[in-house]
Amino acid sequence: SQQGEEDPQALSIQEGENATMNCSYKTSINNLQWYRQNSGRGLVHLILIRSNEREKHSGRLRVTLDTSKKSSSLLITASRAADTASYFCATDMGAQKLVFGQGTRLTINP
Amino acid sequence: DARVTQTPRHKVTEMGQEVTMRCQPILGHNTVFWYRQTMMQGLELLAYFRNRAPLDDSGMPKDRFSAEMPDATLATLKIQPSEPRDSAVYFCASGLVGGPLNIQYFGAGTRLSVL
């Protein structure tokens, strides 16, 4: 079974609205990362949050981490058409590899 | 502008043919990963190398897939013989594992269609 599972699988919102995606995982982690994948492209790293951090910001991105609930959320504020993409969480359990979830497909409607 | 380079970007082949995909990792990265992405299975880790040595290839069908890293600037993934179920996008990623941040940098992928 997947270590990281995103919710929802798909999200469609209007431009300017905020988008929130959630990720749940099963085992303890060193850090949790979020990646974006535009259609037909490779994944691009967005932000990393360590296990001892609770919240992190980068531009219009806000990530939270709740290790007691083994969950994370990614908030994109003031969404733009260019934010249309798939978003993946990835967990680093210290085994050198990352375990990626199935992703959330985000569509921003103009 | 350091990036991971994959070739070819697209490959169409017939069942039974050999397919070789190539990856040039970012200079200085010590770990290379191969992933396969399909709509049904999502992103699957096939194999990864650290300092050119294979660490884990448990995600790879052993009978037809092989991965090598002949030198620090080239990683290859080979399928022989190819089957229609191998149709997918194959990604290579590299990273500096053991550093302060375990971040992976992905190539643009090779889209493989096996007819």
Side-chain angles (χ1 to χ4, degrees):
Chain A
S1 61
Q2 294 287 339
Q3 158 75 337
E5 296 187 2
E6 283 96 344
D7 169 59
Q9 289 189 335
L11 179 61
S12 181
I13 61 173
Q14 295 300 119
E15 193 167 17
E17 293 180 341
N18 296 341
T20 299
M21 289 156 270
N22 303 296
C23 171
S24 60
Y25 57 93
K26 294 182 172 64
T27 61
S28 62
I29 59 173
N30 287 351
N31 65 68
L32 185 143
Q33 303 177 30
W34 286 90
Y35 287 75
R36 181 186 72 227
Q37 183 181 30
N38 290 94
S39 180
R41 310 292 291 273
L43 279 70
V44 174
H45 178 262
L46 292 176
I47 193 166
L48 178 151
I49 186 165
R50 293 184 173 87
S51 60
N52 61 354
E53 297 175 314
R54 291 298 166 258
E55 187 171 310
K56 201 157 184 185
H57 297 255
S58 177
R60 293 184 296 113
L61 304 180
R62 173 179 165 243
V63 171
T64 61
L65 179 66
D66 187 335
T67 53
S68 66
K69 294 181 179 177
K70 292 187 170 57
S71 68
S72 173
S73 67
L74 172 67
L75 169 67
I76 303 174
T77 61
S79 63
R80 305 167 181 170
D83 296 328
T84 294
S86 291
Y87 291 82
F88 295 84
C89 69
T91 49
D92 179 357
M93 295 174 285
Q96 306 187 59
K97 62 182 181 181
L98 297 177
V99 179
F100 287 85
Q102 295 281 50
T104 292
R105 291 190 310 279
L106 175 64
T107 302
I108 309 299
N109 302 303
Chain B
D1 183 23
R3 58 180 176 172
V4 176
T5 303
Q6 289 187 248
T7 56
R9 288 294 316 278
H10 303 273
K11 177 71 176 178
V12 180
T13 191
E14 292 187 348
M15 183 174 63
Q17 295 298 305
E18 177 179 300
V19 175
T20 299
M21 290 168 271
R22 294 177 174 80
C23 168
Q24 181 176 359
I26 292 174
L27 190 65
H29 282 183
N30 60 4
T31 309
V32 174
F33 304 84
W34 282 105
Y35 292 91
R36 175 171 63 185
Q37 187 177 40
T38 60
M39 288 294 292
M40 292 299 294
Q41 299 297 327
L43 195 65
E44 302 174 276
L45 177 65
L46 297 176
Y48 64 103
F49 295 75
R50 184 167 184 183
N51 296 323
R52 296 175 54 202
L55 281 191
D56 186 351
D57 61 0
S58 59
M60 207 163 64
K62 302 288 192 306
D63 55 339
R64 299 182 299 108
F65 284 60
S66 63
E68 294 180 345
M69 202 160 174
D71 63 61
T73 65
L74 177 65
T76 62
L77 180 66
K78 190 174 295 186
I79 308 174
Q80 167 64 19
S82 58
E83 297 181 1
R85 59 179 168 154
D86 300 329
S87 297
V89 182
Y90 291 81
F91 288 104
C92 172
S94 72
L96 187 60
V97 176
L101 300 173
N102 182 11
I103 294 172
Q104 294 185 13
Y105 298 81
F106 282 73
T110 294
R111 182 174 296 274
L112 174 65
S113 296
V114 183
L115 306 177

